[in-house]
Amino acid sequence: MSIEKTMRELNTLHLSEKSAISLEKPESEYILHIDSQLSSVCGSDARVAATGSENTVRIYTRQTLGYLASISGHTKTITGVKFARVMPHLLYTSSLDGTVRCWDTRSNMKDAVQIFTGCEGDTDAFSSFDISCDDRLLCTGTDATDHDGVFILFWDTRKPQPLGCYSESHHDDITQVCFHPHDRDRLLTGSTDGLVCVFDVSQETEDDALQGTLNSESSVSHIGWCGERECNVYCTTHIETVHVWQADEFDAVTQIKDVRDAFQGEKKLDYIVDCFQPMGDNRLHVLAGNHSGHLHLLRASSPDCLEYISSLDGGHSQDVRCLTWDAQAEVAVTGGEDSMLCLWHPRQGHQNTAEVTRRHPLKAPSKIRLHTKRSVGENRRHAKGHRTSQESASHSHEG
């Protein structure tokens, strides 16, 4: 796909479906994390999983955001949700309760089919996790504790006991871990200590595995792989900056200062949701928003500048917390503090989706109010560094 065609598609991205995860409650249930099965694997039967602030996971069809099922089992805040890559019927969730649970979406999902805990049971608070591209490795990051420090733990997904862990590379809460989409041995980790670490987990010791340390100079919000053949690393921070580095030489490719300074008026921005990369365009794209729920698509047009592409309106009314992007289908799903899931796709698909909506109309959400305002510290413990609509947070590896 050419860059010109990609830009045209993004310019016509529009809201096609929305679904509320909370309708009757006096306070809204935040959507904290979402993930989607890929169209390349599941086609039109792809599912979306969304985690709520009340420790539940809900499953929806991605084509219409029709509700399918819910999962309960975690006793504390869920910090991540991921479909397996090779066996997408398996869904993994991590939590501050010190467990990662695997659910088989082909079953009634009353019980997890696997439960992974740390070396000393469920004493670790898992703040993030990811699964390797071949579904063989599971990795989690933990919150920092006064007596134990912070850890990056690994499992073979076929066994409940950990393979081992890293303990020297970060010294504060790990906010993100991210495997390379095609190389099972390459891993990124990001932390509130401002560091992004690049690992080759095939090495026997943590010192040998650590390939490079990148400094964002602020608490890390999101990390990922980008560029041609995913040869670069991106990072966004809680002070709304964007960084891109080469993954091998570790040279800076892009450094964007606070995006809130660059866009005002109708294009006003209060926060970055996340980044993604469309097929046919190797430049990083950024989804950002404001506290009224308006979203804007931006593109890294130069090493220190983001250009405005288009706006996505009509979906959310409060802060948007999460994004999942399917590059092949050119479909985005967003979730926010207003309890809404929203589906966005290029306009040429609108007619078919509208027919589905008329046959199966979604109930309009009732009016709901925000959670009580939290302090920055309380909010970070609640949702691992994400913003409320009122605030923005200015052992070696043996396997």
Side-chain angles (χ1 to χ4, degrees), residues 30 39 90 99 119 159 163 193-194 232 234 237 247 254 279 301 314 317 320 326 335 344 350 373-374 376 390 399:
Y30 293 178
S39 298
L90 295 180
T99 66
C119 299
K159 302 176 183 179
L163 290 169
D193 61 16
N232 293 337
Y234 79 78
T237 72
T254 301
M279 291 183 66
S301 58
S317 60
V320 176
D326 187 331
W344 313 85
H350 178 65
K373 181 177 177 181
R374 296 182 177 86
V376 173
Q390 305 295 327

Side-chain angles (χ1 to χ4, degrees), residues 83-377:
F83 286 100
R85 275 62 165 174
V86 179
M87 295 183 289
H89 60 276
L90 295 180
L91 179 69
Y92 291 81
T93 56
S94 65
S95 170
L96 295 180
D97 65 12
T99 66
V100 175
R101 297 172 185 252
C102 177
W103 313 85
D104 190 336
T105 59
R106 300 170 301 180
S107 70
N108 59 16
M109 295 179 288
K110 296 298 183 183
D111 298 296
V113 296
Q114 284 179 291
I115 299 178
F116 303 88
T117 58
C119 299
E120 300 180 1
D122 59 358
T123 58
D124 293 310
F126 295 148
S127 52
S128 57
F129 87 104
D130 200 11
I131 311 161
S132 63
C133 59
D134 61 358
D135 291 354
R136 291 291 297 276
L137 280 178
L138 170 67
C139 176
T140 69
T142 71
D143 275 355
T145 60
D146 293 337
H147 56 285
D148 286 331
V150 60
F151 300 100
I152 303 163
L153 291 90
F154 298 88
W155 292 261
D156 182 323
T157 54
R158 299 167 295 181
K159 302 176 183 179
Q161 297 81 20
L163 290 169
C165 68
Y166 299 157
S167 60
E168 303 296 331
S169 300
H170 292 289
H171 59 266
D172 207 344
D173 296 356
I174 295 175
T175 54
Q176 294 268 285
V177 296
C178 182
F179 279 103
H180 192 279
H182 310 298
D183 185 345
R184 62 159 277 176
D185 294 326
R186 304 206 76 186
L187 176 74
L188 302 176
T189 59
S191 168
T192 53
D193 61 16
L195 302 181
V196 176
C197 294
V198 184
F199 294 101
D200 176 358
V201 300
S202 67
Q203 302 301 311
E204 293 186 358
T205 68
E206 180 174 357
D207 285 343
D208 291 337
L210 182 60
Q211 305 293 294
T213 301
L214 308 166
N215 191 352
S216 72
E217 300 182 353
S218 181
S219 174
V220 173
S221 175
H222 291 91
I223 55 175
W225 302 87
C226 62
E228 187 176 1
R229 297 186 299 277
E230 288 81 27
C231 62
N232 293 337
V233 173
Y234 79 78
C235 162
T236 67
T237 72
H238 289 121
I239 59 169
E240 319 309 338
T241 60
V242 182
H243 304 264
V244 179
W245 300 276
Q246 294 176 347
D248 293 321
E249 301 298 328
F250 311 113
D251 294 329
V253 176
T254 301
Q255 295 196 45
I256 308 295
K257 296 181 179 179
D258 192 336
V259 299
R260 294 170 293 188
D261 296 336
F263 297 92
Q264 297 296 327
E266 293 183 355
K267 301 175 183 176
K268 181 182 186 310
L269 299 178
D270 294 314
Y271 56 87
I272 295 170
V273 179
D274 203 350
C275 302
F276 67 97
Q277 184 169 300
M279 291 183 66
D281 190 343
N282 293 324
R283 295 189 183 184
L284 189 70
H285 288 62
V286 178
L287 182 67
N290 61 40
H291 296 319
S292 298
H294 300 297
L295 295 170
H296 303 296
L297 285 172
L298 315 171
R299 180 173 180 260
S301 58
S302 68
D304 60 355
C305 182
L306 292 173
E307 65 174 328
Y308 170 85
I309 296 176
S310 63
S311 295
L312 304 179
D313 295 325
H316 294 281
S317 60
Q318 297 171 24
D319 280 20
V320 176
R321 288 195 174 226
C322 45
L323 159 74
T324 181
W325 168 260
D326 187 331
Q328 183 179 49
E330 296 180 312
V331 167
V333 182
T334 55
E337 293 184 3
D338 54 5
S339 300
M340 300 303 298
L341 278 178
C342 293
L343 174 68
W344 313 85
H345 63 60
R347 189 165 298 279
Q348 60 263 33
H350 178 65
Q351 183 174 358
N352 292 337
T353 305
E355 293 296 328
V356 173
T357 304
R358 282 195 289 272
R359 291 196 301 271
H360 305 284
L362 294 172
K363 181 180 178 182
S366 58
K367 190 172 182 179
I368 49 182
R369 62 188 176 89
L370 281 170
H371 279 285
T372 303
K373 181 177 177 181
R374 296 182 177 86
S375 69
V376 173

Side-chain angles (χ1 to χ4, degrees), residues 42-64:
C42 300
S44 59
D45 291 328
R47 302 291 188 253
V48 173
T51 72
S53 53
E54 296 190 349
N55 311 333
T56 58
V57 182
R58 292 177 176 85
I59 311 295
Y60 301 83
T61 64
R62 199 184 66 190
Q63 188 173 19
T64 64

